[in-house]
């Protein structure tokens, strides 16, 4: 899915989406993770709930930052491609191949930018679920 160095393939939008989907697995399973790692009140004496919540929070934030960085890196790369294609179109405004490629890249850029909005919704949902379950045991630091 991801390239060997752990980055997204920004050239292929479908691959970009697949890798993001895999990267979002942790958020998709946050309720399960909370249910299996944060014990109920009757079992809370057997586990350090504060430490468990802290580790879960740190994992969540790390996943959010990794995805945010990956998406923004692809947006920058695609923006650069769009810029080069605009320059090429300015030099040869009758070349339909360049115009077609420019439209394709602009569309891909818009889709990547919309992934930032999706990411915001996913992050908010995951943090809300986390706070509902761990607010008594662990208070995350203010950013």
């Amino acid at each position: 899915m991801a390239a060997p160095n752990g980055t997204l393939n920004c050239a292929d939008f479908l691959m970009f989406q697949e890798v993001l989907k895999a990267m979002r697995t942790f958020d998709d399973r946050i309720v399960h993770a909370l249910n299996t790692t944060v014990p109920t009140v009757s079992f809370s004496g057997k586990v350090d709930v504060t430490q468990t919540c802290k580790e879960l929070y740190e994992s969540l934030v790390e996943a959010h930052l990794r995805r945010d960085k990956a998406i923004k890196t692809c947006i920058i790369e695609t923006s650069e491609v769009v810029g080069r294609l605009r320059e090429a179109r300015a030099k040869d405004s009758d070349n339909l191949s360049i115009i077609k490629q420019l439209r394709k890249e602009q569309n891909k850029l818009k889709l990547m930018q919309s992934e930032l909005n999706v990411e915001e919704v996913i992050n908010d949902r995951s943090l809300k679920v986390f706070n509902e379950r761990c607010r008594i045991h662990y208070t995350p630091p203010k950013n």
Side-chain angles (χ1 to χ4, degrees):
M1 276 186 240
N5 61 3
T7 60
L8 286 174
N9 177 359
C10 301
D12 181 357
F13 185 73
L14 292 176
M15 184 60 78
F16 169 83
Q17 283 187 312
E18 283 297 315
V19 173
L20 272 181
K21 181 180 176 183
M23 292 174 81
R24 289 174 174 154
T25 302
F26 187 76
D27 285 77
D28 293 341
R29 297 182 180 159
I30 187 70
V31 173
H32 176 71
L34 286 165
N35 287 341
T36 57
T37 59
V38 178
T40 60
V41 175
S42 60
F43 292 102
S44 63
K46 298 177 176 128
V47 175
D48 184 358
V49 182
T50 301
Q51 185 63 28
T52 302
C53 285
K54 180 181 180 190
E55 290 169 2
L56 195 57
Y57 176 78
E58 289 169 352
S59 296
L60 197 60
V61 169
E62 180 184 330
H64 292 176
L65 292 174
R66 218 176 27 247
R67 289 194 314 260
D68 187 64
K69 181 181 176 189
I71 293 169
K72 288 180 179 177
T73 298
C74 282
I75 288 173
I76 290 168
E77 284 181 27
T78 307
S79 295
E80 290 170 355
V81 171
V82 168
R84 287 192 297 273
L85 288 169
R86 282 185 178 151
E87 290 173 10
R89 183 189 63 186
K91 292 177 185 173
D92 186 7
S93 61
D94 295 331
N95 188 334
L96 292 177
S97 175
I98 292 174
I99 293 170
K100 186 176 178 181
Q101 185 66 26
L102 176 60
R103 286 186 185 143
K104 179 181 172 189
E105 292 296 320
Q106 286 173 326
N107 187 44
K108 182 169 66 169
L109 179 61
K110 287 176 189 172
L111 292 171
M112 287 178 175
Q113 289 169 334
S114 72
E115 286 297 328
L116 286 175
N117 295 330
V118 171
E119 195 63 25
E120 184 177 342
V121 170
I122 290 170
N123 293 353
D124 288 347
R125 180 189 64 101
S126 296
L127 289 172
K128 180 182 177 194
V129 169
F130 171 84
N131 286 328
E132 287 172 358
R133 189 68 188 266
C134 282
R135 70 176 176 264
I136 297 170
H137 310 290
Y138 176 73
T139 304
K142 299 289 180 201
N143 292 345

